[in-house]
Amino acid sequence: MPVLGPERRLLASLSSAPPAAPRLGLAANQTNQTGPQCLEVSIPDGLFLSLGLVSLVENVLVVAAIAKNRNLHSPMYYFVCCLAVSDLLVSVSNVLETAVLLLLEAGALAAQAAVVQQLDNIMDVLICGSMVSSLCFLGAIAVDRYVSIFYALRYHSIVTLPRAGRAIAAIWAGSVLSSTLFIAYYHHTAVLLGLVSFFVAMLALMAVLYVHMLARACQHGRHIARLHKTQHPTRQGCGLKGAATLTILLGVFLLCWAPFFLHLSLVVLCPQHPTCGCVFKNVNLFLALVICNSIVDPLIYAFRSQELRKTLQEVLQCSW
């Protein structure tokens, strides 16, 4: 949304300069005119809307399928459902942001500065909260899978519905609180460092858990191979398949989220440096990647389930 005052509060801390920025308070032109030539990737508003709508439809279908099928009413699928809701909120907030931007720029929407600022603040909390909750539920899904593999016999006594419910409630409450604090204290360096540290912690958690799960799966595969005296093909198949799965999980996570948090880090480390300014110019690209993550998440964590795909077909047939 356009800025009506000297500063933009919606993720304004991502801007290294005080002037207003066109989207999410992130400066599109933060480099010096005399600075280095920068590669700037332009993201049309239509693309933002398209990505947001695709993500919206996908994640609504995931939520509808899990709500419809009682067999999917388990802690694991509740975490997947909450991830879909988080991604849905990311999409909705960005679609609304873009739509209001276009209406204001076209003069089709007239509003007082105070009203737009309040709407802006609400969007800020929604966007920040949905991003934080999305990262949290990605971590929660990793922990859930880890427990199901390493504590298989005790899984249902460890990951119970009440415990999962408390974890989900804590994640949502923490996301709302952290996003509110971020909007209120966006000008403090500690806030940005806290967000970057949170991302690094989630990345480390997922990497450690999934690598350990891959090692256990390969170890189990070698044990089965020894029993059947087919060690080499099984070992190779386990390694290739496991490495591919791990690459997809962590690769998508890094590709979609790392540029955004790199931007945050550079705001703290070199806010006025011309080279860092080249990175700041592409902030809309980084936000588009975050939306792309909301599109890819259902493909990785939801639609790979045969039970969920079957329920999804029933949901689509009923809608027609």
Side-chain angles (χ1 to χ4, degrees), residues 98-294:
T98 304
V100 173
L101 255 175
L102 293 175
L103 291 174
L104 287 173
E105 290 174 356
L109 180 64
Q112 296 180 352
V115 175
V116 175
Q117 184 63 47
Q118 286 298 110
L119 180 61
D120 183 46
N121 293 339
I122 294 173
M123 287 292 182
D124 292 355
V125 174
L126 182 61
I127 291 174
C128 293
S130 57
M131 286 182 176
V132 171
S133 63
S134 182
L135 289 173
C136 285
F137 284 117
L138 286 172
I141 291 171
V143 172
D144 177 78
R145 291 182 174 182
Y146 184 86
V147 174
S148 69
I149 290 177
F150 285 87
Y151 303 93
L153 297 179
R154 298 172 51 204
Y155 173 78
H156 293 290
S157 62
I158 296 174
V159 186
T160 62
L161 283 176
R163 287 178 178 173
R166 287 193 293 270
I168 290 170
I171 289 174
W172 284 117
S175 299
V176 173
L177 178 61
S178 61
S179 61
T180 304
L181 292 175
F182 177 58
I183 300 306
Y185 301 101
Y186 65 90
H187 53 284
H188 289 281
T189 302
V191 174
L192 285 181
L193 291 177
L195 282 175
V196 174
S197 300
F198 171 71
F199 167 74
V200 173
M202 285 295 106
L203 175 61
L205 174 68
M206 293 176 63
V208 169
L209 294 183
Y210 282 122
V211 168
H212 199 186
M213 283 186 275
L214 173 61
R216 171 58 68 90
C218 289
Q219 182 183 17
H220 181 70
R222 288 194 296 268
H223 178 68
I224 299 298
R226 283 196 297 269
L227 293 178
H228 295 83
K229 297 182 180 180
T230 57
Q231 183 172 355
H232 297 294
T234 304
R235 179 184 299 180
Q236 184 180 14
C238 168
L240 291 177
K241 184 177 179 180
T245 302
L246 187 63
T247 301
I248 292 173
L249 287 172
L250 297 182
V252 168
F253 183 79
L254 274 174
L255 177 64
C256 294
W257 286 103
F260 181 78
F261 285 93
L262 172 64
H263 182 101
L264 287 177
S265 302
L266 294 181
V267 168
V268 175
L269 298 174
C270 53
Q272 302 298 334
H273 197 281
T275 304
C276 296
C278 291
V279 177
F280 299 149
K281 278 191 172 185
N282 290 289
V283 66
N284 283 347
L285 172 63
F286 306 153
L287 292 170
L289 288 174
V290 171
I291 301 177
C292 288
N293 182 79
S294 301

